[in-house]
Short mmCIF file of all heavy atoms in Angstrom, two decimals:
data_model
loop_
_atom_site.label_atom_id
_atom_site.label_comp_id
_atom_site.label_asym_id
_atom_site.label_seq_id
_atom_site.Cartn_x
_atom_site.Cartn_y
_atom_site.Cartn_z
N MET A 71 -4.93 -19.18 12.83
CA MET A 71 -4.98 -18.55 11.50
C MET A 71 -6.20 -19.09 10.80
O MET A 71 -6.55 -20.26 10.81
CB MET A 71 -3.68 -18.89 10.72
CG MET A 71 -3.49 -18.02 9.53
SD MET A 71 -1.79 -18.37 8.97
CE MET A 71 -1.80 -17.25 7.64
N LYS A 72 -6.88 -18.17 10.11
CA LYS A 72 -8.10 -18.54 9.32
C LYS A 72 -7.75 -19.36 8.13
O LYS A 72 -6.77 -19.07 7.39
CB LYS A 72 -8.81 -17.26 8.86
CG LYS A 72 -10.10 -17.47 8.21
CD LYS A 72 -10.78 -16.13 7.76
CE LYS A 72 -11.96 -16.48 6.90
NZ LYS A 72 -12.52 -15.32 6.28
N GLU A 73 -8.58 -20.36 7.85
CA GLU A 73 -8.39 -21.21 6.68
C GLU A 73 -8.71 -20.40 5.38
O GLU A 73 -9.78 -19.73 5.41
CB GLU A 73 -9.25 -22.35 6.77
CG GLU A 73 -9.08 -23.38 5.59
CD GLU A 73 -9.97 -24.57 5.72
OE1 GLU A 73 -10.24 -25.03 6.80
OE2 GLU A 73 -10.45 -25.07 4.68
N ILE A 74 -7.92 -20.48 4.46
CA ILE A 74 -8.09 -19.68 3.13
C ILE A 74 -8.37 -20.76 2.08
O ILE A 74 -7.51 -21.59 1.88
CB ILE A 74 -6.97 -18.75 2.82
CG1 ILE A 74 -6.79 -17.71 3.95
CG2 ILE A 74 -7.24 -18.15 1.46
CD1 ILE A 74 -5.59 -16.84 3.78
N ARG A 75 -9.52 -20.57 1.38
CA ARG A 75 -9.77 -21.39 0.19
C ARG A 75 -9.24 -20.81 -1.00
O ARG A 75 -9.10 -19.59 -1.22
CB ARG A 75 -11.25 -21.63 0.05
CG ARG A 75 -11.90 -22.26 1.29
CD ARG A 75 -13.46 -22.26 1.19
NE ARG A 75 -13.90 -20.82 1.07
CZ ARG A 75 -15.05 -20.49 0.59
NH1 ARG A 75 -15.84 -21.33 0.16
NH2 ARG A 75 -15.39 -19.21 0.54
N PHE A 76 -8.90 -21.61 -2.05
CA PHE A 76 -8.39 -21.10 -3.33
C PHE A 76 -9.36 -20.15 -3.93
O PHE A 76 -8.99 -19.07 -4.43
CB PHE A 76 -8.11 -22.25 -4.30
CG PHE A 76 -7.55 -21.80 -5.59
CD1 PHE A 76 -6.22 -21.50 -5.63
CD2 PHE A 76 -8.26 -21.72 -6.79
CE1 PHE A 76 -5.64 -21.07 -6.82
CE2 PHE A 76 -7.72 -21.30 -7.92
CZ PHE A 76 -6.37 -20.92 -7.95
N HIS A 77 -10.72 -20.45 -3.74
CA HIS A 77 -11.77 -19.60 -4.21
C HIS A 77 -11.67 -18.20 -3.69
O HIS A 77 -11.98 -17.18 -4.39
CB HIS A 77 -13.11 -20.18 -3.94
CG HIS A 77 -14.31 -19.41 -4.42
ND1 HIS A 77 -14.81 -19.41 -5.74
CD2 HIS A 77 -15.01 -18.52 -3.64
CE1 HIS A 77 -15.74 -18.56 -5.76
NE2 HIS A 77 -16.02 -18.00 -4.52
N ASP A 78 -11.34 -18.06 -2.41
CA ASP A 78 -11.21 -16.77 -1.76
C ASP A 78 -10.20 -15.80 -2.42
O ASP A 78 -10.27 -14.62 -2.37
CB ASP A 78 -10.89 -16.93 -0.27
CG ASP A 78 -11.99 -17.75 0.42
OD1 ASP A 78 -13.09 -17.61 0.06
OD2 ASP A 78 -11.61 -18.37 1.44
N LEU A 79 -9.18 -16.48 -2.98
CA LEU A 79 -8.11 -15.67 -3.60
C LEU A 79 -8.63 -14.84 -4.83
O LEU A 79 -8.17 -13.74 -5.06
CB LEU A 79 -6.92 -16.54 -4.07
CG LEU A 79 -6.23 -17.26 -2.96
CD1 LEU A 79 -5.16 -18.25 -3.52
CD2 LEU A 79 -5.57 -16.34 -1.99
N GLY A 80 -9.64 -15.33 -5.48
CA GLY A 80 -10.23 -14.60 -6.57
C GLY A 80 -10.99 -13.38 -6.13
O GLY A 80 -10.85 -12.37 -6.73
N HIS A 81 -11.62 -13.41 -4.94
CA HIS A 81 -12.24 -12.30 -4.39
C HIS A 81 -11.19 -11.30 -4.00
O HIS A 81 -11.48 -10.09 -4.18
CB HIS A 81 -13.16 -12.73 -3.21
CG HIS A 81 -14.34 -13.41 -3.61
ND1 HIS A 81 -15.56 -12.79 -3.84
CD2 HIS A 81 -14.60 -14.81 -3.80
CE1 HIS A 81 -16.49 -13.68 -4.14
NE2 HIS A 81 -15.87 -14.95 -4.13
N THR A 82 -10.18 -11.72 -3.35
CA THR A 82 -9.07 -10.89 -2.91
C THR A 82 -8.45 -10.17 -4.13
O THR A 82 -8.25 -8.93 -4.12
CB THR A 82 -8.01 -11.62 -2.04
OG1 THR A 82 -8.61 -12.17 -0.95
CG2 THR A 82 -6.95 -10.69 -1.61
N LEU A 83 -8.15 -10.97 -5.11
CA LEU A 83 -7.43 -10.39 -6.25
C LEU A 83 -8.38 -9.32 -7.01
O LEU A 83 -7.97 -8.26 -7.33
CB LEU A 83 -7.09 -11.57 -7.26
CG LEU A 83 -6.47 -11.06 -8.59
CD1 LEU A 83 -5.20 -10.25 -8.21
CD2 LEU A 83 -6.10 -12.21 -9.46
N GLY A 84 -9.71 -9.73 -7.17
CA GLY A 84 -10.57 -8.77 -7.84
C GLY A 84 -10.72 -7.45 -6.94
O GLY A 84 -10.71 -6.44 -7.59
N THR A 85 -10.77 -7.58 -5.74
CA THR A 85 -10.99 -6.38 -4.89
C THR A 85 -9.67 -5.51 -4.97
O THR A 85 -9.77 -4.28 -5.13
CB THR A 85 -11.28 -6.77 -3.40
OG1 THR A 85 -12.52 -7.48 -3.38
CG2 THR A 85 -11.31 -5.53 -2.57
N GLU A 86 -8.60 -6.20 -4.84
CA GLU A 86 -7.29 -5.48 -4.93
C GLU A 86 -7.04 -4.80 -6.27
O GLU A 86 -6.58 -3.57 -6.35
CB GLU A 86 -6.16 -6.36 -4.53
CG GLU A 86 -6.07 -6.86 -3.09
CD GLU A 86 -5.98 -5.70 -2.10
OE1 GLU A 86 -5.18 -4.72 -2.40
OE2 GLU A 86 -6.70 -5.63 -1.11
N LEU A 87 -7.36 -5.53 -7.26
CA LEU A 87 -7.17 -4.86 -8.68
C LEU A 87 -8.09 -3.68 -8.80
O LEU A 87 -7.69 -2.60 -9.30
CB LEU A 87 -7.45 -5.90 -9.72
CG LEU A 87 -6.37 -7.01 -9.89
CD1 LEU A 87 -6.85 -8.04 -10.84
CD2 LEU A 87 -5.05 -6.40 -10.36
N ASN A 88 -9.32 -3.84 -8.40
CA ASN A 88 -10.32 -2.74 -8.52
C ASN A 88 -9.92 -1.55 -7.60
O ASN A 88 -10.03 -0.35 -8.03
CB ASN A 88 -11.75 -3.25 -8.09
CG ASN A 88 -12.86 -2.32 -8.50
OD1 ASN A 88 -12.64 -1.39 -9.22
ND2 ASN A 88 -14.01 -2.58 -8.04
N ALA A 89 -9.41 -1.83 -6.41
CA ALA A 89 -8.96 -0.75 -5.51
C ALA A 89 -7.76 0.00 -6.04
O ALA A 89 -7.54 1.14 -5.70
CB ALA A 89 -8.60 -1.30 -4.13
N ASN A 90 -7.01 -0.61 -6.95
CA ASN A 90 -5.92 -0.02 -7.57
C ASN A 90 -6.15 0.58 -8.97
O ASN A 90 -5.23 0.73 -9.83
CB ASN A 90 -4.71 -0.94 -7.58
CG ASN A 90 -4.14 -1.06 -6.20
OD1 ASN A 90 -3.35 -0.24 -5.75
ND2 ASN A 90 -4.42 -2.15 -5.47
N GLY A 91 -7.46 0.75 -9.21
CA GLY A 91 -7.82 1.41 -10.53
C GLY A 91 -8.03 0.58 -11.74
O GLY A 91 -8.21 1.14 -12.87
N VAL A 92 -7.96 -0.73 -11.63
CA VAL A 92 -8.14 -1.60 -12.80
C VAL A 92 -9.65 -1.74 -13.12
O VAL A 92 -10.46 -1.88 -12.26
CB VAL A 92 -7.51 -3.03 -12.61
CG1 VAL A 92 -7.74 -3.86 -13.75
CG2 VAL A 92 -6.04 -2.87 -12.29
N ASP A 93 -9.98 -1.46 -14.39
CA ASP A 93 -11.30 -1.54 -14.85
C ASP A 93 -11.94 -2.94 -14.64
O ASP A 93 -11.34 -3.94 -14.76
CB ASP A 93 -11.45 -1.17 -16.38
CG ASP A 93 -12.71 -1.15 -16.88
OD1 ASP A 93 -13.50 -0.20 -16.55
OD2 ASP A 93 -13.08 -2.08 -17.61
N LEU A 94 -13.24 -2.91 -14.26
CA LEU A 94 -13.98 -4.17 -13.95
C LEU A 94 -13.95 -5.13 -15.08
O LEU A 94 -13.84 -6.36 -14.95
CB LEU A 94 -15.42 -3.90 -13.49
CG LEU A 94 -15.53 -3.47 -12.08
CD1 LEU A 94 -16.97 -3.13 -11.80
CD2 LEU A 94 -15.03 -4.50 -11.07
N LYS A 95 -14.11 -4.61 -16.33
CA LYS A 95 -14.20 -5.43 -17.54
C LYS A 95 -12.74 -6.18 -17.70
O LYS A 95 -12.74 -7.36 -17.98
CB LYS A 95 -14.37 -4.55 -18.82
CG LYS A 95 -14.61 -5.39 -20.04
CD LYS A 95 -15.08 -4.52 -21.21
CE LYS A 95 -15.24 -5.24 -22.52
NZ LYS A 95 -15.22 -6.59 -22.64
N VAL A 96 -11.69 -5.44 -17.44
CA VAL A 96 -10.36 -6.04 -17.52
C VAL A 96 -10.17 -7.11 -16.47
O VAL A 96 -9.58 -8.14 -16.72
CB VAL A 96 -9.27 -4.93 -17.42
CG1 VAL A 96 -7.84 -5.55 -17.35
CG2 VAL A 96 -9.39 -3.91 -18.54
N ILE A 97 -10.60 -6.76 -15.20
CA ILE A 97 -10.59 -7.79 -14.11
C ILE A 97 -11.27 -9.02 -14.48
O ILE A 97 -10.82 -10.11 -14.29
CB ILE A 97 -11.07 -7.16 -12.84
CG1 ILE A 97 -10.23 -6.01 -12.31
CG2 ILE A 97 -11.14 -8.26 -11.71
CD1 ILE A 97 -10.82 -5.22 -11.20
N GLY A 98 -12.54 -8.83 -15.07
CA GLY A 98 -13.34 -10.02 -15.42
C GLY A 98 -12.62 -10.86 -16.48
O GLY A 98 -12.66 -12.12 -16.42
N GLU A 99 -11.98 -10.22 -17.46
CA GLU A 99 -11.28 -10.97 -18.47
C GLU A 99 -10.05 -11.75 -17.92
O GLU A 99 -9.84 -12.87 -18.22
CB GLU A 99 -10.80 -10.09 -19.56
CG GLU A 99 -11.93 -9.50 -20.49
CD GLU A 99 -11.44 -8.48 -21.50
OE1 GLU A 99 -10.23 -8.23 -21.62
OE2 GLU A 99 -12.29 -7.80 -22.10
N PHE A 100 -9.41 -11.11 -16.97
CA PHE A 100 -8.27 -11.77 -16.30
C PHE A 100 -8.69 -12.87 -15.49
O PHE A 100 -7.93 -13.89 -15.46
CB PHE A 100 -7.50 -10.66 -15.45
CG PHE A 100 -6.25 -11.20 -14.83
CD1 PHE A 100 -5.12 -11.30 -15.58
CD2 PHE A 100 -6.26 -11.49 -13.49
CE1 PHE A 100 -3.89 -11.73 -15.01
CE2 PHE A 100 -5.06 -12.02 -12.88
CZ PHE A 100 -3.93 -12.11 -13.67
N LEU A 101 -9.79 -12.74 -14.80
CA LEU A 101 -10.32 -13.92 -13.91
C LEU A 101 -11.06 -14.91 -14.65
O LEU A 101 -11.45 -15.92 -14.16
CB LEU A 101 -11.18 -13.30 -12.79
CG LEU A 101 -10.43 -12.42 -11.69
CD1 LEU A 101 -11.44 -11.84 -10.75
CD2 LEU A 101 -9.33 -13.20 -11.01
N GLY A 102 -11.28 -14.68 -16.02
CA GLY A 102 -11.95 -15.64 -16.86
C GLY A 102 -13.50 -15.65 -16.64
O GLY A 102 -14.17 -16.68 -16.93
N HIS A 103 -14.08 -14.53 -16.26
CA HIS A 103 -15.53 -14.45 -16.13
C HIS A 103 -16.19 -14.20 -17.45
O HIS A 103 -15.72 -13.49 -18.33
CB HIS A 103 -15.85 -13.28 -15.14
CG HIS A 103 -15.35 -13.49 -13.80
ND1 HIS A 103 -15.16 -12.48 -12.88
CD2 HIS A 103 -15.01 -14.61 -13.07
CE1 HIS A 103 -14.69 -12.92 -11.74
NE2 HIS A 103 -14.61 -14.21 -11.77
N GLY A 104 -17.37 -14.82 -17.59
CA GLY A 104 -18.13 -14.69 -18.82
C GLY A 104 -18.92 -13.39 -18.86
O GLY A 104 -19.33 -13.00 -20.02
N ASN A 105 -19.29 -12.81 -17.69
CA ASN A 105 -20.07 -11.55 -17.76
C ASN A 105 -19.71 -10.71 -16.62
O ASN A 105 -19.08 -11.18 -15.60
CB ASN A 105 -21.55 -11.90 -17.73
CG ASN A 105 -22.04 -12.76 -16.58
OD1 ASN A 105 -21.76 -12.44 -15.50
ND2 ASN A 105 -22.74 -13.78 -16.79
N LEU A 106 -20.07 -9.47 -16.68
CA LEU A 106 -19.69 -8.48 -15.70
C LEU A 106 -20.24 -8.65 -14.37
O LEU A 106 -19.70 -8.31 -13.36
CB LEU A 106 -19.99 -7.10 -16.27
CG LEU A 106 -19.39 -5.92 -15.58
CD1 LEU A 106 -17.86 -5.98 -15.49
CD2 LEU A 106 -19.80 -4.56 -16.25
N SER A 107 -21.47 -9.26 -14.33
CA SER A 107 -22.22 -9.47 -13.04
C SER A 107 -21.37 -10.36 -12.17
O SER A 107 -21.34 -10.19 -10.92
CB SER A 107 -23.54 -9.96 -13.21
OG SER A 107 -23.57 -11.18 -13.84
N THR A 108 -20.65 -11.38 -12.71
CA THR A 108 -19.80 -12.21 -11.95
C THR A 108 -18.72 -11.45 -11.33
O THR A 108 -18.31 -11.63 -10.18
CB THR A 108 -19.31 -13.41 -12.83
OG1 THR A 108 -20.41 -14.06 -13.33
CG2 THR A 108 -18.44 -14.37 -12.00
N THR A 109 -18.03 -10.60 -12.18
CA THR A 109 -16.90 -9.86 -11.75
C THR A 109 -17.30 -8.84 -10.55
O THR A 109 -16.52 -8.73 -9.65
CB THR A 109 -16.28 -9.07 -12.85
OG1 THR A 109 -15.96 -9.93 -13.97
CG2 THR A 109 -15.04 -8.36 -12.45
N LYS A 110 -18.50 -8.29 -10.70
CA LYS A 110 -18.96 -7.43 -9.65
C LYS A 110 -19.03 -8.18 -8.33
O LYS A 110 -18.78 -7.53 -7.27
CB LYS A 110 -20.25 -6.84 -9.98
CG LYS A 110 -20.15 -5.78 -11.11
CD LYS A 110 -21.53 -5.21 -11.44
CE LYS A 110 -21.36 -4.12 -12.58
NZ LYS A 110 -22.70 -3.66 -13.01
N ARG A 111 -19.38 -9.39 -8.34
CA ARG A 111 -19.44 -10.14 -7.12
C ARG A 111 -18.07 -10.44 -6.53
O ARG A 111 -17.88 -10.71 -5.31
CB ARG A 111 -20.14 -11.53 -7.28
CG ARG A 111 -21.65 -11.37 -7.45
CD ARG A 111 -22.35 -12.72 -7.27
NE ARG A 111 -21.86 -13.72 -8.28
CZ ARG A 111 -22.49 -14.02 -9.46
NH1 ARG A 111 -23.70 -13.40 -9.65
NH2 ARG A 111 -22.01 -14.91 -10.28
N TYR A 112 -17.05 -10.43 -7.34
CA TYR A 112 -15.70 -10.74 -6.90
C TYR A 112 -14.95 -9.42 -6.54
O TYR A 112 -13.91 -9.53 -5.96
CB TYR A 112 -14.88 -11.35 -8.05
CG TYR A 112 -15.11 -12.80 -8.03
CD1 TYR A 112 -16.22 -13.45 -8.56
CD2 TYR A 112 -14.05 -13.71 -7.56
CE1 TYR A 112 -16.37 -14.80 -8.54
CE2 TYR A 112 -14.18 -15.12 -7.53
CZ TYR A 112 -15.39 -15.61 -8.01
OH TYR A 112 -15.57 -16.99 -7.98
N SER A 113 -15.48 -8.27 -6.86
CA SER A 113 -14.75 -7.08 -6.54
C SER A 113 -15.61 -6.24 -5.53
O SER A 113 -16.41 -5.46 -5.89
CB SER A 113 -14.65 -6.17 -7.85
OG SER A 113 -13.90 -6.86 -8.80
N HIS A 114 -15.26 -6.45 -4.25
CA HIS A 114 -16.02 -5.92 -3.21
C HIS A 114 -15.62 -4.41 -2.97
O HIS A 114 -14.43 -4.19 -2.70
CB HIS A 114 -15.76 -6.65 -1.87
CG HIS A 114 -15.97 -8.14 -2.05
ND1 HIS A 114 -17.30 -8.71 -2.14
CD2 HIS A 114 -15.20 -9.15 -2.25
CE1 HIS A 114 -17.20 -9.95 -2.33
NE2 HIS A 114 -15.93 -10.29 -2.40
N PRO A 115 -16.54 -3.41 -3.11
CA PRO A 115 -16.11 -2.11 -2.92
C PRO A 115 -15.79 -1.80 -1.52
O PRO A 115 -16.58 -2.07 -0.52
CB PRO A 115 -17.40 -1.29 -3.35
CG PRO A 115 -18.48 -2.28 -3.21
CD PRO A 115 -17.94 -3.56 -3.46
N ASP A 116 -14.54 -1.30 -1.21
CA ASP A 116 -14.14 -1.01 0.08
C ASP A 116 -13.85 0.51 0.13
O ASP A 116 -14.02 1.25 -0.89
CB ASP A 116 -12.98 -1.78 0.54
CG ASP A 116 -11.76 -1.73 -0.24
OD1 ASP A 116 -11.68 -0.71 -1.07
OD2 ASP A 116 -10.79 -2.54 -0.08
N ASP A 117 -13.39 0.99 1.26
CA ASP A 117 -13.15 2.42 1.38
C ASP A 117 -12.09 2.98 0.44
O ASP A 117 -12.18 4.09 0.00
CB ASP A 117 -12.72 2.80 2.87
CG ASP A 117 -13.88 2.63 3.86
OD1 ASP A 117 -15.04 2.66 3.43
OD2 ASP A 117 -13.61 2.44 5.07
N ARG A 118 -11.11 2.19 0.06
CA ARG A 118 -10.07 2.58 -0.86
C ARG A 118 -10.74 2.90 -2.25
O ARG A 118 -10.43 3.93 -2.81
CB ARG A 118 -9.00 1.59 -1.04
CG ARG A 118 -8.20 1.37 0.17
CD ARG A 118 -7.22 0.21 0.02
NE ARG A 118 -8.04 -1.04 -0.24
CZ ARG A 118 -7.57 -2.17 -0.77
NH1 ARG A 118 -6.32 -2.26 -1.10
NH2 ARG A 118 -8.35 -3.20 -0.93
N ILE A 119 -11.62 2.07 -2.68
CA ILE A 119 -12.27 2.22 -4.01
C ILE A 119 -13.14 3.50 -3.85
O ILE A 119 -13.14 4.35 -4.87
CB ILE A 119 -13.12 1.02 -4.37
CG1 ILE A 119 -12.20 -0.15 -4.52
CG2 ILE A 119 -13.92 1.29 -5.60
CD1 ILE A 119 -12.93 -1.51 -4.66
N LYS A 120 -13.82 3.76 -2.79
CA LYS A 120 -14.67 4.83 -2.74
C LYS A 120 -13.83 6.07 -2.67
O LYS A 120 -14.20 7.16 -3.29
CB LYS A 120 -15.58 4.77 -1.44
CG LYS A 120 -16.58 3.71 -1.57
CD LYS A 120 -17.27 3.43 -0.27
CE LYS A 120 -18.20 2.19 -0.33
NZ LYS A 120 -18.87 1.91 0.86
N ARG A 121 -12.67 6.08 -1.96
CA ARG A 121 -11.80 7.29 -1.96
C ARG A 121 -11.25 7.50 -3.33
O ARG A 121 -11.13 8.73 -3.78
CB ARG A 121 -10.65 7.06 -1.00
CG ARG A 121 -11.00 7.25 0.49
CD ARG A 121 -9.79 7.36 1.43
NE ARG A 121 -9.03 6.22 1.33
CZ ARG A 121 -9.14 5.17 2.18
NH1 ARG A 121 -10.07 5.17 3.07
NH2 ARG A 121 -8.36 4.04 2.03
N ASN A 122 -10.89 6.50 -4.17
CA ASN A 122 -10.38 6.67 -5.48
C ASN A 122 -11.42 7.32 -6.40
O ASN A 122 -11.13 8.21 -7.20
CB ASN A 122 -9.93 5.34 -6.08
CG ASN A 122 -8.71 4.82 -5.44
OD1 ASN A 122 -7.97 5.53 -4.73
ND2 ASN A 122 -8.44 3.52 -5.62
N VAL A 123 -12.66 6.92 -6.25
CA VAL A 123 -13.82 7.51 -7.02
C VAL A 123 -13.94 9.04 -6.69
O VAL A 123 -14.01 9.87 -7.52
CB VAL A 123 -15.04 6.74 -6.85
CG1 VAL A 123 -16.23 7.53 -7.45
CG2 VAL A 123 -14.97 5.35 -7.38
N ALA A 124 -13.97 9.32 -5.39
CA ALA A 124 -14.10 10.65 -4.91
C ALA A 124 -12.97 11.59 -5.39
O ALA A 124 -13.16 12.67 -5.83
CB ALA A 124 -14.23 10.68 -3.41
N SER A 125 -11.79 10.97 -5.39
CA SER A 125 -10.56 11.70 -5.84
C SER A 125 -10.65 11.94 -7.34
O SER A 125 -10.26 13.04 -7.85
CB SER A 125 -9.32 10.92 -5.52
OG SER A 125 -8.18 11.60 -5.99
N ALA A 126 -11.03 11.02 -8.13
CA ALA A 126 -11.15 11.13 -9.57
C ALA A 126 -12.22 12.19 -9.90
O ALA A 126 -12.01 13.07 -10.79
CB ALA A 126 -11.57 9.82 -10.20
N TYR A 127 -13.36 12.19 -9.15
CA TYR A 127 -14.39 13.24 -9.38
C TYR A 127 -13.85 14.63 -8.99
O TYR A 127 -14.15 15.52 -9.77
CB TYR A 127 -15.61 12.80 -8.53
CG TYR A 127 -16.78 13.71 -8.72
CD1 TYR A 127 -17.36 13.87 -10.01
CD2 TYR A 127 -17.27 14.49 -7.74
CE1 TYR A 127 -18.44 14.68 -10.22
CE2 TYR A 127 -18.37 15.26 -7.88
CZ TYR A 127 -18.95 15.38 -9.18
OH TYR A 127 -19.97 16.24 -9.26
N GLU A 128 -13.16 14.72 -7.96
CA GLU A 128 -12.61 16.05 -7.55
C GLU A 128 -11.66 16.47 -8.59
O GLU A 128 -11.67 17.65 -8.98
CB GLU A 128 -11.92 15.89 -6.18
CG GLU A 128 -11.30 17.24 -5.71
CD GLU A 128 -10.61 17.02 -4.33
OE1 GLU A 128 -10.24 15.95 -3.96
OE2 GLU A 128 -10.48 18.09 -3.73
N ASN A 129 -10.79 15.68 -9.13
CA ASN A 129 -9.82 16.06 -10.24
C ASN A 129 -10.63 16.55 -11.46
O ASN A 129 -10.24 17.50 -12.09
CB ASN A 129 -8.97 14.86 -10.65
CG ASN A 129 -7.85 14.72 -9.61
OD1 ASN A 129 -7.47 15.60 -8.84
ND2 ASN A 129 -7.32 13.47 -9.56
N LEU A 130 -11.71 15.84 -11.77
CA LEU A 130 -12.54 16.32 -12.91
C LEU A 130 -13.16 17.70 -12.65
O LEU A 130 -13.18 18.50 -13.58
CB LEU A 130 -13.75 15.34 -13.11
CG LEU A 130 -13.37 14.05 -13.86
CD1 LEU A 130 -14.54 13.10 -13.88
CD2 LEU A 130 -12.93 14.30 -15.24
N ILE A 131 -13.59 17.95 -11.42
CA ILE A 131 -14.13 19.29 -11.14
C ILE A 131 -13.17 20.32 -11.20
O ILE A 131 -13.36 21.49 -11.86
CB ILE A 131 -14.78 19.21 -9.76
CG1 ILE A 131 -16.05 18.40 -9.78
CG2 ILE A 131 -15.15 20.70 -9.30
CD1 ILE A 131 -16.56 18.10 -8.35
N HIS A 132 -11.94 20.09 -10.69
CA HIS A 132 -10.94 21.16 -10.62
C HIS A 132 -10.12 21.26 -11.88
O HIS A 132 -9.56 22.37 -12.23
CB HIS A 132 -10.02 20.94 -9.46
CG HIS A 132 -10.69 21.07 -8.12
ND1 HIS A 132 -11.12 22.26 -7.61
CD2 HIS A 132 -11.05 20.14 -7.19
CE1 HIS A 132 -11.76 22.11 -6.47
NE2 HIS A 132 -11.60 20.78 -6.19
N ASN A 133 -9.93 20.17 -12.70
CA ASN A 133 -9.09 20.22 -13.78
C ASN A 133 -9.81 20.10 -15.14
O ASN A 133 -9.17 20.00 -16.15
CB ASN A 133 -7.97 19.18 -13.65
CG ASN A 133 -7.15 19.26 -12.42
OD1 ASN A 133 -6.84 20.45 -12.06
ND2 ASN A 133 -6.87 18.28 -11.78
N GLY A 134 -11.08 19.97 -15.10
CA GLY A 134 -11.88 19.86 -16.30
C GLY A 134 -11.75 18.52 -16.87
O GLY A 134 -11.93 18.00 -17.81
#
């Protein structure tokens, strides 16, 4: 089993919150970051996030 550091949990939490639609600014406040650039390093865009963005865009096109 891979060793997990406490620091790694912040990256996992940031990514999971972002993938589930939580705004980066809110994630940053929750994680105690002083600026958005730090939060961006903690929220790794994965395929779920990209699908959520595509879905939101499609909803805007079809539903105004």
